[in-house]
Amino acid sequence: MSCTIAIALKLPIYLDHHATTPVDERVLEAMLPYFSARFGNAASRSHSFGWEAERAVERARALVAALVGAATPTEIVFTSGATEADNLAVKGVAELHRERGGHIVTTGIEHTAVLDTCRQLERQGFAVTYLPVPPTGVVDAQAVRQAITDRTLLVSVMLANGEVGSIQPIAAIGSLTRERGVLLHCDAAQGLGHVPLGVREAGVDLCSLSAHKIYGPKGVGALYVRRSHPRVVLAPQIHGGGHELGLRSGTLNVPGIVGFGRACELMAEQGREEAARLAALRDGLVETITAALEDVRINGTMQPRLPGNANLSFACVEAEALIMALKDDVALSSGSACSSQSTEPSHVLRALGLDDAAAHSSIRFGLGRFTTEEEADHVAARVIAQVQRLRRMSPLYEMYRRGSGREPTAS
Ligand SMILES: *Cc1c(COP(=O)(O)O)cnc(C)c1O
């Protein structure tokens, strides 16, 4: 039975799912009792309130462990998010294993939580290699091999990039780090549930996760820490009551953890299907825009790519001006949420070789679980209209067309 009643779109449409996602109703429902009726402290060992909270946390731990393919739930250490997990992984390895060497290998397109942590370690005397990344946005596993030295402690490469959608060859890198006896950390905050990842098979030793990128609540995440073959030992970065096997002290965020567990369970159930739907919706959006507009460049390779992600540069259009012109229709971002506070071009786009002008004319589209086809169509139509309008007003664009040997556009 088909229903053709047109339902008015609710505007603005949210297309910034790499910055954060809305909490799924089913996640919220699972969390609610743990704010009030079941408010116990999971560390209280002497009464039912504590036991109930602890049971809920352990159920969630098993669900998170299952999604990443951990060998046991004890390999999951809950944190306040992926930023803290990245800090714990990188600093935790560096601090404890310094005598074995002081070298870390990472890439130029990591999240700032990894890059800024590495810069801090450099100030403390560690050496860090930031691998260059080609315009596809995909790191070359052979470049990782060449960068590893006898002094390398850790390689840190993300699963998927939230700006340009590139997916990294983690399993290939994992077999290299295995061979060399170097630990591998993977920030999987983007791509978790959509991009296949089994930490054991991929040879990942440490893996950062975040709930709010997968329709869970903000302020909760986890670090997967391998407990066998090899057993990874870390220096804790937060000291206190000895929670989380001593790796991360602090009273557990029980409602948040319950929500994270439920979000992982939903991803395990529907993540594959959702990825296919989002990729098709995203491809349609890109095709509509590139068919209607000239001088649009797609940043990062389309295959493989994070479903739901597109990143386009519109020649001679200021991304900020375009975003403001579209703000009543669609919520978009010109870079990662962290760098959108500054006017510096995104470090990821720069690492891919974009010049200032191209980086400043780039927009990220982030489709999500609740994005509909009608919404994607509306966004495409509005983007096309606003790019045309801004270009008509731009003397630069006319020069650009002439410079490339073509007539100025009539539109
Ligand atoms: C969002 C994100 C983070 C930060 O996660 P928080 O849970 O917000 O601290 C880290 N790495 C990547 C790749 C991310 O996308």
Side-chain angles (χ1 to χ4, degrees):
M1 202 171 67
S2 80
C3 173
T4 52
I5 301 166
I7 295 165
L9 286 175
K10 194 169 170 291
L11 300 177
I13 294 157
Y14 184 75
L15 277 202
D16 201 13
H17 286 86
H18 304 300
T20 195
T21 58
V23 171
D24 190 299
E25 291 288 343
R26 296 164 289 182
V27 168
L28 179 63
E29 194 185 325
M31 293 172 67
L32 285 175
Y34 293 91
F35 286 104
S36 48
R38 305 180 198 163
F39 62 86
N41 184 329
S44 296
R45 291 285 152 77
S46 55
H47 49 69
S48 61
F49 296 86
W51 301 330
E52 184 177 50
E54 189 193 16
R55 268 201 308 278
V57 166
E58 294 316 314
R59 261 198 310 276
R61 198 187 302 280
L63 293 168
V64 178
L67 184 63
V68 298
T72 89
T74 55
E75 294 181 319
I76 300 299
V77 175
F78 287 115
T79 65
S80 62
T83 299
E84 188 192 331
D86 287 342
N87 273 266
L88 175 56
V90 178
K91 292 178 187 164
V93 168
E95 194 178 308
L96 206 68
H97 300 279
R98 183 167 208 162
E99 74 289 352
R100 282 180 35 211
H103 181 229
I104 294 166
V105 176
T106 188
T107 81
I109 62 165
E110 297 304 304
H111 191 272
T112 47
V114 167
L115 291 179
D116 288 355
T117 299
C118 286
R119 301 236 186 272
Q120 174 64 15
L121 289 172
E122 282 183 288
R123 274 175 230 124
Q124 294 168 12
F126 287 88
V128 181
T129 300
Y130 301 91
L131 292 173
V133 179
T136 55
V138 181
V139 177
D140 180 4
Q142 291 315 312
V144 176
R145 179 201 293 276
Q146 283 158 13
I148 295 175
T149 73
D150 292 341
R151 298 188 51 76
T152 308
L153 290 176
L154 178 74
V155 171
S156 179
V157 178
M158 67 198 333
L159 176 62
N161 185 281
E163 264 183 78
V164 295
S166 52
I167 295 169
Q168 306 307 337
I170 295 301
I173 295 169
S175 68
L176 290 175
T177 50
R178 264 300 128 94
E179 215 172 275
R180 297 294 302 266
V182 172
L183 294 174
L184 174 60
H185 167 242
C186 176
D187 178 343
Q190 297 287 346
L192 179 64
H194 284 160
V195 178
L197 173 73
V199 286
R200 261 175 309 165
E201 305 82 73
V204 171
D205 299 299
L206 297 153
C207 185
S208 300
L209 312 171
S210 178
H212 77 100
K213 303 289 175 74
I214 57 163
Y215 309 90
K218 294 168 186 55
V220 59
L223 182 67
Y224 158 82
V225 184
R226 184 184 283 268
R227 301 244 168 230
S228 58
H229 317 291
R231 176 182 160 78
V232 178
V233 187
L234 295 175
Q237 301 299 308
I238 296 181
H239 301 89
H243 308 75
E244 298 297 271
L245 303 172
L247 276 177
R248 202 283 190 173
S249 289
T251 300
L252 292 179
N253 171 1
V254 178
I257 288 168
V258 168
F260 186 18
R262 183 73 178 117
C264 287
E265 186 176 32
L266 291 171
M267 268 304 188
E269 285 167 16
Q270 64 179 73
R272 287 300 186 86
E273 230 175 280
E274 184 170 287
R277 186 189 80 87
L278 284 175
L281 200 57
R282 181 269 325 273
D283 289 346
L285 178 75
V286 171
E287 276 160 27
T288 307
I289 292 175
T290 52
L293 295 173
E294 288 185 84
D295 308 307
V296 179
R297 150 191 183 146
I298 300 172
N299 296 313
T301 178
M302 285 305 286
Q303 205 52 259
R305 194 179 187 107
L306 199 56
N309 172 280
N311 191 305
L312 304 177
S313 298
F314 300 94
C316 302
V317 173
E318 278 290 333
E320 291 308 320
L322 181 55
I323 286 170
M324 282 305 121
L326 289 165
K327 70 179 189 330
D328 296 330
D329 285 292
V330 53
L332 288 166
S333 149
S334 59
S336 71
C338 332
S339 60
S340 65
Q341 313 214 344
S342 76
T343 54
E344 283 291 295
S346 135
H347 73 275
V348 175
L349 296 176
R350 295 306 301 269
L352 261 56
L354 271 72
D355 61 22
D356 266 0
H360 280 301
S361 66
S362 301
I363 296 219
R364 174 180 70 177
F365 298 84
L367 290 71
R369 179 171 291 171
F370 307 108
T371 308
T372 65
E373 212 169 311
E374 292 70 33
E375 288 179 326
D377 289 346
H378 181 77
V379 170
R382 296 311 302 150
V383 167
I384 292 164
Q386 289 297 345
V387 168
Q388 286 171 338
R389 187 185 67 86
L390 289 167
R391 281 180 175 172
R392 271 198 303 272
M393 293 167 19
S394 160
L396 263 181
Y397 188 57
E398 215 164 292
M399 282 161 55
Y400 176 89
R401 299 281 306 182
R402 289 214 178 87
S404 58
R406 287 171 300 174
E407 289 302 305
T409 46
S411 66

